Structure formats: structure tokens, C-alpha cells
Amino acid sequence: EPEVTQTPSHQVTQMGQEVILRCVPISNHLYFYWYRQILGQKVEFLVSFYNNEISEKSEIFDDQFSVERPDGSNFTLKIRSTKLEDSAMYFCASSGDRASYEQYFGPGTRLTVT
Amino acid sequence: TQLLEQSPQFLSIQEGENLTVYCNSSSVFSSLQWYRQEPGEGPVLLVTVVTGGEVKKLKRLTFQFGDARKDSSLHITAAQPGDTGLYLCAGWRDYKLSFGAGTTVTVRA
């Protein structure tokens, strides 16, 4: 069964460093998303991406964040200068059809900023 | 901000009992999804409900979408220890999903 994969599973970085989180969405999907979940809190929408551009973004997704689809399979989230409060689980999701509303999530990357 | 309230926050029952989890909002959603999340893993989609009043069954799980598309419920019949987990509802509106805080279900053997 096709699935969304994410690497790395755990990333530890120092405050102020740049990190890139990687995702491989389900191959025939067209819509891609990033979410984050701070420990003990709800899953929060960050950004959606379609046709090589951002479709929607939340207020969390400020200038420190960027997304890219560098090739036909990867979808990345970059945080330019990490802060302690960026520590969270980051989930990538994809969906085949926006109208289907159904998103399939990856296993997540746990980002720890020290 | 669309706020999805889930209740109860925690639910602990004995194997074989029934349980219901509720998801309520003051906002109307185009659809509502239910996910299950294990510790340290991503949410796994269980079902999507789209039409007001819709009822979907997945084995012992029954999902209902309110007539006004503002609320939903998840009912588990004859719960088993394997049903233990965090259940999340998520509403689709304005091309994004908004999640509830989740209900942690524990089924004791």
C-alpha cells in the first residue's frame, strides 16, 4: 500500500541553525501539506502546496519557513533559523484530489532544538 | 479560527463496553475526518464524512456527521484492547484541515 515517508525520523539541532525536513508523498498525489504537533498539543496546519506553489499557509508559517518540491518525488520544509519553540513533531501529508478532503500522513520527524 | 472541541478528553472503559466520542464546532465544515494516532506516529485516516446526517460504519466503528455539518461522533461497539489509542477529528474548511485536541481511549482487558 502506498504511503508517505519522512526523513529523518529525529533531528536534533542547535538554536539558530537551518534544518530541512524531507518527505516523499504518495506518488500520484498532487496536493502536499506540512503540519506540526508540539508535545501534548493538537496537530496544527502549516502550509499546503499545489502545482509548485503555496496554496494556503497559517500564521505559524512565517518568513523563517519555506517549502519546496525540488524534484518529482520530494517535498521539503526548511526552517531557516530554528528557535526553541520550533521543537515539535512535523508531519507531511498528501492528497490526490483536493475535493476528496482525505489526507494521508507520514510518520513524522521529531525536531528537537537545543 | 475554527475551533473543534472533542469530548471527553480521556475515556477508559472495560473490554466489551461501548463508547462514544464527540466532536463539536460552531463552524460549518465541508467534510469531517476521523483519524487515529499512536504515540510518536502520524495520524491514520479512518473515515471521511461529507453529507449532513451521513452515517458510516467501519466494522465496530460508527461515524456520524451532524445535519448542520458542525459536529460529528464516533461510536465504538464492544470495544477491544486493540481500540486503545488517540482519536482525532479534523474538519475541512477553506482548503485546510483543523484538528481537535483528541480523545485518548483506553480499553482495559
Side-chain angles (χ1 to χ4, degrees):
Chain A
E1 187 174 317
E3 59 182 16
V4 177
T5 59
Q6 290 185 243
T7 54
S9 57
H10 191 187
Q11 173 88 49
V12 181
T13 190
Q14 288 191 328
M15 198 166 50
Q17 295 297 304
E18 175 184 285
V19 293
I20 297 177
L21 309 183
R22 292 183 166 79
C23 167
V24 178
I26 294 173
S27 62
N28 61 345
H29 282 186
L30 301 175
Y31 298 89
F32 314 113
Y33 312 85
W34 283 102
Y35 293 81
R36 80 171 185 191
Q37 186 175 32
I38 295 171
L39 187 63
Q41 297 186 22
K42 62 174 69 175
V43 177
E44 300 174 288
F45 169 79
L46 291 178
V47 66
S48 61
F49 191 85
Y50 170 71
N51 200 26
N52 282 320
E53 60 183 30
I54 291 173
S55 306
E56 302 286 335
K57 59 182 182 178
S58 72
E59 57 274 10
I60 302 167
F61 194 88
D62 62 21
D63 292 344
Q64 292 299 311
F65 291 88
S66 62
V67 289
E68 194 178 31
R69 187 153 163 83
D71 53 44
S73 59
N74 290 283
F75 179 50
T76 62
L77 174 69
K78 182 193 289 187
I79 309 175
R80 269 181 263 282
S81 178
T82 50
K83 308 183 188 75
L84 293 175
E85 54 265 36
D86 293 328
S87 294
M89 282 288 282
Y90 287 82
F91 295 108
C92 173
S94 69
S95 64
D97 175 358
R98 176 181 272 179
S100 76
Y101 320 115
E102 297 178 338
Q103 297 179 20
Y104 295 87
F105 283 73
T109 292
R110 178 171 298 284
L111 177 65
T112 302
V113 182
T114 62
Chain B
T1 303
Q2 307 124 29
L3 187 63
L4 273 168
E5 301 261 4
Q6 282 190 244
S7 61
Q9 189 178 355
F10 299 98
L11 191 53
S12 179
I13 61 169
Q14 200 68 34
E15 181 177 5
E17 293 181 339
N18 301 333
L19 69 95
T20 303
V21 175
Y22 299 94
C23 178
N24 295 294
S25 176
S26 57
S27 299
V28 175
F29 292 96
S30 302
S31 71
L32 202 131
Q33 285 75 41
W34 283 93
Y35 290 83
R36 179 172 159 175
Q37 185 180 26
E38 300 300 327
E41 298 181 12
V44 175
L45 180 66
L46 295 175
V47 79
T48 298
V49 284
V50 178
T51 307
E54 181 177 3
V55 176
K56 277 193 176 177
K57 293 196 175 191
L58 193 69
K59 296 183 182 177
R60 292 177 294 100
L61 278 60
T62 301
F63 304 86
Q64 185 161 11
F65 202 12
D67 290 340
R69 290 186 289 128
K70 293 183 180 181
D71 55 87
S72 181
S73 63
L74 155 62
H75 182 80
I76 301 179
T77 304
Q80 299 175 0
D83 296 325
T84 293
L86 177 65
Y87 291 84
L88 304 171
C89 66
W92 179 260
R93 179 185 163 100
D94 297 332
Y95 305 110
K96 54 182 176 283
L97 274 180
S98 297
F99 279 81
T103 295
T104 299
V105 171
T106 303
V107 182
R108 304 184 305 274

